[in-house]
Structure formats: C-alpha cells, structure tokens
Amino acid sequence: MSLNGRTIIMSGGSRGIGLAVGIAAARLGANVTLLAKTDEPDPRLPGTVHTAAAEIEEAGGQALAVVGDVRDEASVENAVAQTVERFGGIDIVLNNASAIALDGTEDLPMKRFDLMTQIQLRGTYLLTSKSLPHLRASANPHILSLSPPINLSPQWLGAHPAYTLAKYGMSLLTLSWAAEYAEHGIAANCLWPETLIATAAVQNLLGGDAAVERSRTPEIVADAAVEILGRPSRECTGNSFLDVDVLRDAGVTDFSKYGGTGDLEYDIFVDRP
C-alpha cells in the first residue's frame, strides 16, 4: 500500500521523532496535519508547528499546521475538522505527543503527573476517538502510537511509576483499539525505538551530549513507521513493534546510517539481550 495521497493527523510533531515521521511520509506523498502548541519559538527547543509544516512540504507532501492542545476536546475537534476539510478525510492517526518526567513517586510533583497522564492518555484517546469515524471510511486505516511494549519487569515498574503508567497507558489503549475495531479493518499498532533516539528530550533530560552519542537518529523510527503504515491494515494490527525489528523484516541489515558513535544505549522499557 502506498502513502501517496493518504492523510495523517499527528499530535505534536514540531521536532524530533514526530517531525522525522512526517518528513518520511511526505517523501512518499502523504498529507500531514500537525496538532501542536508550539506557535512561537522556544529558546530551549528547536522548531515550531509552522517550521515543521514547512519542512514536510519541502519533502514533497502537503502539510497543515494547527495550533492547539491535544488535551483539549475543542482543539482536537478543530484539528480533525480542518484536516477533513483540507484533505477530504483521515487515513492515519499518529499518537506522538508525550511528556516525560522520570522522578520517583515521592519526588514527582503532581503537576508533572497530571501533564503526563493528560497528554499520553487523554490526548491519545481524544485524537483517536475523534478521528475514528473518518478512519472507518479509509481504504487502509491505521492508528500508530509511539509507545512501548508492555514490559512488566520490576526494573521498569519500579524505575519511574508515573511515566511508566502514562506510556503503558498509550500502549494499552492502542492494543485495545486493535481488538475493538478489528471487524472494521482499522489497524492499531505501537512503535518504540530499541535504543535512545537523539532528540531534545534525550539531550536535556537523559544525559546531554554523552547520551546523544549513544543514540540513533530519529530517522530510524520514521523509516519503521512508514513501513508499518504502508502495510495492509487487516494484516498488520495489534502489535508492539521495535523499530529495528520492523526494518529487519523489511530487509534492512545495516543500521549504521542511523548514527550513534559510542556504544548504543537501550531505550527505556527495552531489556538488554
């Protein structure tokens, strides 16, 4: 299945993995709506929803930048309506927006707990639920959440319970939709990187330049994402994928182009072999 002419609605996407996925899809002819709060530049972080849309169009796709909050029902309804008006429908929901705080239970401020659960859980639920009527009309509908395999090892359960809850919640919702909408042919899958990915979050929160050197680039997740989204929806649903496994299945054997100059560090929730 081709991505040419298909329409993606994505939460976030101003930078990092979301932007990389948007660019990769645009190169294959996709339309991309970005719903994000980043209307103005932030001195601490690169990119806005407008610069991201420009990069997507430069890559060969069409882009629609919608300034809004994925936690807000009216914002999501507006983004869905604008997408349908501009592109005629929705074929793919990409749940990308996420917040991270790795504090333990006694140290995590409630406002950070609320932020993570509202973006990861409420936001994922809102964007997907409001898009589902349009997905049912698509010839190859997909829901793809950038969330991890559910690993119940005590290592991960005890490391940062609030963040684990928020990310596993995204995965549980997505796998639940795979079951709920199986008869409608709507695919729902999760995708997670095997290693750390060189994003602003890794740079700022997970170890600075040293962590970036042990990370792959966002393009590895993007290439895996478009591989999944190009598959027939009835044949590819209910999975929690790692990026490298998707690409290996597609015939990729050399991952050196995705960077990482030191020993690569496995991402959160991924056990070392």
Side-chain angles (χ1 to χ4, degrees):
M1 302 291 287
S2 170
L3 294 187
N4 188 45
R6 293 174 65 200
T7 297
I8 300 171
I9 187 168
M10 182 193 311
S11 59
S14 298
R15 60 185 70 89
I17 292 172
L19 176 56
V21 175
I23 290 172
R27 290 184 179 130
L28 299 175
N31 311 313
V32 182
T33 293
L34 303 174
L35 170 61
K37 294 175 64 179
T38 50
D39 190 25
E40 300 292 337
D42 185 328
R44 301 165 297 176
L45 297 169
T48 68
V49 68
H50 308 294
T51 61
E55 289 187 58
I56 289 168
E57 294 200 332
E58 287 171 10
Q62 296 188 66
L64 174 63
V66 180
V67 177
D69 188 339
V70 73
R71 298 169 293 177
D72 178 70
E73 188 170 8
S75 284
V76 173
E77 289 174 342
N78 174 55
V80 168
Q82 286 198 49
T83 301
V84 173
E85 181 179 1
R86 170 80 179 273
F87 300 122
I90 294 172
D91 302 290
I92 296 162
V93 174
L94 187 62
N95 294 304
N96 164 72
S98 190
I100 181 171
L102 301 181
D103 305 271
T105 302
E106 293 181 68
D107 298 320
L108 182 75
M110 280 309 300
K111 67 178 182 179
R112 297 298 296 175
F113 179 94
D114 291 342
L115 180 67
M116 289 192 291
T117 55
Q118 287 170 7
I119 292 177
Q120 274 98 295
L121 298 181
R122 180 181 172 86
T124 295
Y125 190 90
L126 257 178
L127 185 62
T128 304
S129 63
K130 299 298 183 180
S131 301
L132 276 163
H134 306 288
L135 292 178
R136 283 201 296 269
S138 170
N140 192 33
H142 280 261
I143 301 162
L144 184 62
S145 298
L146 299 183
S147 60
I150 296 173
N151 184 343
L152 297 181
S153 164
Q155 172 189 356
W156 301 119
L157 293 177
H160 28 65
Y163 181 65
T164 299
L165 169 69
K167 293 306 291 189
Y168 284 9
M170 288 180 71
S171 298
L172 281 171
L173 282 171
T174 304
L175 297 176
S176 297
W177 290 320
E180 185 179 10
Y181 289 93
E183 66 182 52
H184 297 282
I186 299 174
N189 296 288
C190 306
L191 177 62
W192 193 248
E194 178 190 51
T195 70
L196 292 182
I197 298 297
T199 63
V202 168
Q203 176 82 39
N204 296 335
L205 299 174
L206 297 181
D209 292 341
V212 169
E213 290 175 0
R214 300 192 302 273
S215 304
R216 290 185 173 126
T217 65
E219 284 69 31
I220 189 170
V221 185
D223 288 350
V226 296
E227 168 65 26
I228 294 167
L229 297 175
R231 294 176 178 179
S233 59
R234 290 187 179 274
E235 299 174 15
C236 179
T237 188
N239 302 289
S240 291
F241 291 113
L242 292 181
D243 53 4
V244 291
D245 293 334
V246 174
L247 294 176
R248 286 191 184 107
D249 288 345
V252 177
T253 57
D254 182 5
F255 298 102
S256 61
K257 71 175 182 177
Y258 298 116
T261 57
D263 292 333
L264 292 170
E265 184 169 335
Y266 282 81
D267 204 354
I268 296 170
F269 309 119
V270 179
D271 292 335
R272 290 186 176 274

